[in-house]
Amino acid sequence: MHELSITQQIVETCCEVAGGTPVASVTVEIGCLCAVLPSAVSFCYEVCTEGTPLEGSVLQIVSVPARGRCRECKAESMFLDFRSLCRCGSADLEFTGGDELRIKEMELA
Ligand SMILES: [Zn+2]
């Protein structure tokens, strides 16, 4: 379960930036090709923030769609899942993006 180490990194980064100030909410962008389960991150977040300035804060997860280009018909589309197919039915897609995972926003309490 790599969500735990990812969440730990998010929490550590936020703690550094907050510098001891309580945090109200954190918004994280997760690309849909990251193979990270938002529900698992939410679960880990509660565990990881215990005893930190982030304890009790709200974690908001924004799923970022991936941009993909079909190698068959050359159409470009947005995909929410790496198992998606092109409109033409082809699965031969080239993705450019959707693998980002970053802290978008942090609100101090
Ligand atoms: Zn296509």
Side-chain angles (χ1 to χ4, degrees):
M1 189 157 116
H2 66 158
E3 280 87 353
L4 183 60
S5 59
I6 287 167
T7 311
Q8 273 169 342
Q9 281 176 25
I10 293 169
V11 171
E12 271 172 36
T13 306
C14 289
C15 284
E16 272 175 39
V17 177
T21 310
V23 173
S25 73
V26 174
T27 307
V28 177
E29 279 186 336
I30 300 181
C32 60
L33 303 184
C34 286
V36 168
L37 279 176
S39 58
V41 174
S42 294
F43 176 76
C44 295
Y45 187 80
E46 274 187 39
V47 178
C48 292
T49 54
E50 250 182 56
T52 75
L54 278 76
E55 189 172 348
S57 63
V58 178
L59 175 70
Q60 299 200 29
I61 297 172
V62 180
S63 288
V64 182
R67 183 175 290 279
R69 190 164 183 269
C70 176
R71 290 193 183 94
E72 287 288 323
C73 71
K74 311 293 180 203
E76 273 200 36
S77 315
M78 300 296 273
F79 297 94
L80 278 165
D81 194 293
F82 62 92
R83 287 176 298 262
S84 301
L85 298 176
C86 174
R87 277 176 299 233
C88 73
S90 170
D92 193 5
L93 302 168
E94 192 183 338
F95 289 107
T96 55
D99 55 354
E100 50 275 273
L101 202 159
R102 60 169 171 254
I103 300 159
K104 192 176 174 238
E105 222 178 299
M106 187 176 76
E107 200 183 314
L108 300 176

